[in-house]
């Protein structure tokens, strides 16, 4: 491993990029969502890994079958296709990762998995946040992940590989491999192999940055931010103690967040990802993670800071563009932890409520809620049933009414459970069995008093198909001026076009 490239970045010239570059039905009659109202602000919220079943399961869990999450009350609904493309081609790769999906909506191009702010051919593409900043809008980027992670990174950085986060440079993290296993030659544009943390600290693309990832930054990054006028919450470390950066760094806290003020603020509240809300609640009162803000806390504060800046600069007629990510839905779906996943959907929906409440009062704010992809094939299964992985024999594939439909070979039916692969409900009787494939069960508001999570009596039974992403379409919800444009079955690249048009009143030229 060698040290990263010398820090000689410059702010990108984006004026040229700016110059260059409805099916579905409303759930209810929209209020304050008419087309002729001026759009001053766009708030784009995404639940990373959040598929339609994640939304349904969280609704059932917290509000019951007849209830709704806040996102489900937004009047315009649709669906988003999420596929990526293979590197160096336009051939679809049907299952995306967060990097290529985030690049699709931020820059309007399909790209290869792991790419950040570059197209399939490794060409840098302008992002919507860069375009908004160049046009005079205030900008914000908020996440429960490290702010250098794929989803936030795709709005304010460019990298050939998403792993090039920092603080140090390595070929393995920053350069793609060729078919023979050797690394590609370094590109002429050294930005593309500059650690993402270093880019964030120098390009000034986001006025407000909240999330995790303090360990990705160094003392000179703080110095660079402060030179641009940022209020840095916490500390990125003592430059006099380079070997002790971890010990000398100080994460920001919710108290720091509450007291933050000014046009430019960055707060990193954990050295890694922020703490999952369920895990945070179980920690002792004096645990440092207890000092972390929730996603809703960060959403409310970022909106307050950016809207204050809007008021200060009202004479320019500009508003703000803000991206807010609930990252842990994906990370806990990868882990097949249904309880934590449901809690993170609820925490994300609380942030949606913060944005929705602001938009209803403001009258000139477009709110969009969606996901980058579905994760893990999250499923709601019938009460009292089990996964195929547990079955002594798989489901029968015969049709008694029409034998011509039978498959070969024929399989025998069985309602039995393979006790060598499951000892019961995953978050109940079988929670200590590493071989357990059983569903996780949860009580809902519709259950009788006394029904417990992890019991067979609980009505919500959940299971996973895999530990990775799937190619399923994801839901989208919208509110505000031009919200009806998102009530469609659309590709994720179309989200860039529609948000661009909402902010600038014209369509971008495609890359």
């Amino acid at each position: 491993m060698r040290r990263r490239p010398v820090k000689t970045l410059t702010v990108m010239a984006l004026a040229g990029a700016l110059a260059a570059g409805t099916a579905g039905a409303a759930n209810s009659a929209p209020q304050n969502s008419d087309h002729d109202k001026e759009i001053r602000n766009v708030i784009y919220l995404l639940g990373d890994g959040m598929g339609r079943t994640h939304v349904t399961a969280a609704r059932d869990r917290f509000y019951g079958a007849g209830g709704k999450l806040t996102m489900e009350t937004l009047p315009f609904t649709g669906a988003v296709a999420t596929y990526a493309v293979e590197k160096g081609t336009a051939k679809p790769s049907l299952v995306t990762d967060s990097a290529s999906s985030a690049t699709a909506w931020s820059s309007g191009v399909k790209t290869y998995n792991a790419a950040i702010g570059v197209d399939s051919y490794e060409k840098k593409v302008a992002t919507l946040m860069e375009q908004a900043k160049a046009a005079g809008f205030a900008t914000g980027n908020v996440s429960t992940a490290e702010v250098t992670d794929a989803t936030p990174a795709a709005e304010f950085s460019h990298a050939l590989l998403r792993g090039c986060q920092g603080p140090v440079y390595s070929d393995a993290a920053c350069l793609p491999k060729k078919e023979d296993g050797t690394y590609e030659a370094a590109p002429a544009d050294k930005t593309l192999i500059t650690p993402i943390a270093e880019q964030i600290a120098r390009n000034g693309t986001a006025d407000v940055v909240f999330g995790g990832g303090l360990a990705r930054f160094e003392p000179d990054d703080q110095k660079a931010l402060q030179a641009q006028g940022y209020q840095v919450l916490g500390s990125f470390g003592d430059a006099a103690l380079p070997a002790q950066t971890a010990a000398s760094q100080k994460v920001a806290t919710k108290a720091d967040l509450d007291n933050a003020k000014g046009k430019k603020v960055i707060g990193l509240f954990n050295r890694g990802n922020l703490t999952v809300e369920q895990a945070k609640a179980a920690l002792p009162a004096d645990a440092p993670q207890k000092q972390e803000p929730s996603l809703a806390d960060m959403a409310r504060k970022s909106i307050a800071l950016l809207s204050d800046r809007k008021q200060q600069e009202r004479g320019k007629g500009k508003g703000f563009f803000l991206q807010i990510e609930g990252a842990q839905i994906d990370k806990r779906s990868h882990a097949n932890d249904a309880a934590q996943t449901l809690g993170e959907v609820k925490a994300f929906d609380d942030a949606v409520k913060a944005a929705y409440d602001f938009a209803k009062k403001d009258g000139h704010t477009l709110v969009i809620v969606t996901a980058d992809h579905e994760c893990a094939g999250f499923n709601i299964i019938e009460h009292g049933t089990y996964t195929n992985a547990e079955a002594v024999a798989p489901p029968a594939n015969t049709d008694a009414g029409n034998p011509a439909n039978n498959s070969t070979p024929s399989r025998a039916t069985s309602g039995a459970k393979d006790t060598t692969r499951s000892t019961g409900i995953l978050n109940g009787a079988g929670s200590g069995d590493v071989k357990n494939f059983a569903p996780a069960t949860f009580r809902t508001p519709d259950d009788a008093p006394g029904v417990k999570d992890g019991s067979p009596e609980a009505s919500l039974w959940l299971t996973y198909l895999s530990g990775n992403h799937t190619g399923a379409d994801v839901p989208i919800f919208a509110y505000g001026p031009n919200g009806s444009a998102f009530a469609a079955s659309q590709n994720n690249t179309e989200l860039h076009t529609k948000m661009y048009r909402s902010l600038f009143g014209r369509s971008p030229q495609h890359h």
Side-chain angles (χ1 to χ4, degrees):
M1 181 175 287
R2 59 186 174 84
R3 290 294 296 167
R4 57 188 174 176
V6 178
K7 297 182 175 180
T8 56
L9 299 183
T10 56
V11 177
M12 291 186 301
L14 294 169
L18 279 170
T22 319
N27 290 330
S28 59
Q31 297 180 358
N32 201 21
S33 298
D34 36 324
H35 285 282
D36 57 351
K37 280 204 170 184
E38 178 189 8
I39 301 174
R40 297 175 187 160
N41 316 304
V42 172
I43 305 176
Y44 180 70
L45 302 103
L46 63 137
D48 199 306
M50 186 184 72
R52 178 64 247 186
T53 301
H54 288 81
V55 176
T56 305
R59 173 220 302 155
D60 291 343
R61 163 67 161 164
F62 296 107
Y63 300 107
K68 287 185 178 181
L69 297 176
T70 297
M71 68 182 83
E72 295 180 289
T73 68
L74 273 59
F76 301 110
T77 64
V80 182
T82 65
Y83 68 90
V85 295
E86 294 182 4
K87 192 171 185 294
T89 75
K91 180 182 177 181
S93 177
L94 297 182
V95 179
T96 189
D97 78 339
S98 295
S100 56
S101 186
T103 299
W105 75 66
S106 66
S107 296
V109 298
K110 291 288 186 180
T111 192
Y112 58 93
N113 285 335
I116 296 286
V118 297
D119 65 16
S120 172
Y121 306 94
E122 301 185 347
K123 179 182 177 182
K124 184 191 296 184
V125 286
T127 75
L128 185 60
M129 192 167 291
E130 291 168 342
Q131 292 166 328
K133 183 60 184 283
F137 288 86
T139 52
N141 207 340
V142 175
S143 178
T144 54
E146 297 174 275
V147 296
T148 54
D149 204 2
T151 301
E155 284 287 11
F156 54 11
S157 65
H158 304 267
L160 299 181
L161 291 179
R162 60 181 290 178
C164 192
Q165 296 184 55
V168 295
Y169 170 90
S170 72
D171 287 347
C174 301
L175 280 176
K177 285 187 175 181
K178 297 184 288 187
E179 289 185 3
D180 63 5
T182 61
Y183 294 111
E184 293 181 3
D189 183 352
K190 295 302 185 285
T191 302
L192 304 183
I193 55 170
T194 298
I196 292 167
E198 187 173 324
Q199 296 185 50
I200 293 169
R202 284 156 184 78
N203 60 28
T205 299
D207 298 308
V208 174
V209 182
F210 293 144
L214 180 59
R216 300 291 184 180
F217 293 83
E218 294 181 326
D220 57 345
D221 295 322
Q222 177 171 338
K223 183 178 180 181
L225 286 159
Q226 290 172 329
Q228 299 170 71
Y230 283 85
Q231 178 186 7
V232 178
L233 309 183
S235 171
F236 288 10
D238 186 344
L241 302 169
Q244 302 178 34
T245 298
S248 67
Q249 286 185 327
K250 179 184 177 183
V251 296
T253 66
K254 183 180 183 300
D256 294 328
L257 179 75
D258 292 341
N259 293 324
K261 59 184 65 177
K263 294 182 179 180
K264 296 184 177 183
V265 183
I266 182 168
L268 305 179
F269 303 95
N270 194 298
R271 287 179 52 76
N273 300 315
L274 297 193
T275 308
V276 171
E277 289 297 329
Q278 185 188 61
K280 185 164 64 175
L283 292 172
D286 59 351
Q289 293 91 338
K290 288 282 194 179
Q291 304 303 312
E292 294 177 16
S294 68
L295 184 61
D297 293 332
M298 294 190 291
R300 283 188 290 267
K301 187 64 175 186
S302 58
I303 290 169
L305 291 170
L306 294 171
S307 58
D308 279 351
R309 185 175 187 270
K310 182 190 71 173
Q311 296 294 338
Q312 295 165 6
E313 300 186 358
R314 181 173 293 278
K316 295 183 179 179
K318 302 297 184 182
F320 64 82
F321 172 59
L322 171 62
Q323 177 173 293
I324 301 172
E325 180 199 23
Q328 304 284 35
I329 300 168
D330 175 70
K331 297 182 188 303
R332 304 324 297 163
S333 292
H334 278 295
N336 283 189
D337 189 320
Q340 290 186 338
T341 297
L342 290 173
E344 290 305 297
V345 176
K346 175 62 166 61
F348 173 68
D349 196 59
D350 291 342
V352 172
K353 184 178 186 302
Y356 189 28
D357 287 347
F358 171 81
K360 286 187 289 185
K361 292 178 181 178
D362 177 71
H364 297 280
T365 298
L366 170 64
V367 175
I368 305 152
V369 182
T370 188
D372 50 356
H373 52 72
E374 198 277 345
C375 187
F378 203 34
N379 288 290
I380 301 171
I381 65 172
E382 186 177 359
H383 182 276
T385 61
Y386 296 88
T387 68
N388 289 348
E390 296 177 279
V392 173
N397 55 354
T398 58
D399 181 346
N402 184 351
N405 295 334
N406 294 352
S407 303
T408 303
S410 181
R411 298 193 298 253
T413 184
S414 171
K417 185 170 64 171
D418 185 348
T419 56
T420 66
R421 306 204 68 183
S422 175
T423 54
I425 306 303
L426 182 60
N427 61 335
S431 59
D433 185 354
V434 296
K435 297 182 293 183
N436 191 358
F437 281 79
T441 70
F442 300 91
R443 68 162 285 111
T444 74
D446 301 318
D447 288 337
V451 171
K452 305 288 186 184
D453 290 348
S455 70
E457 294 77 26
S459 59
L460 180 59
W461 284 49
L462 298 170
T463 189
Y464 291 92
L465 175 66
S466 77
N468 292 309
H469 301 167
T470 73
D473 287 3
V474 294
I476 188 168
F477 312 91
Y479 169 84
N482 202 39
S484 60
F486 298 87
S489 182
Q490 60 220 298
N491 210 300
N492 55 6
T493 53
E494 295 178 63
L495 302 182
H496 175 266
T497 300
K498 293 175 182 181
M499 287 191 287
Y500 186 104
R501 188 181 297 132
S502 296
L503 283 171
F504 299 111
R506 64 183 188 279
S507 297
Q509 291 188 3
H510 293 292
H511 301 280

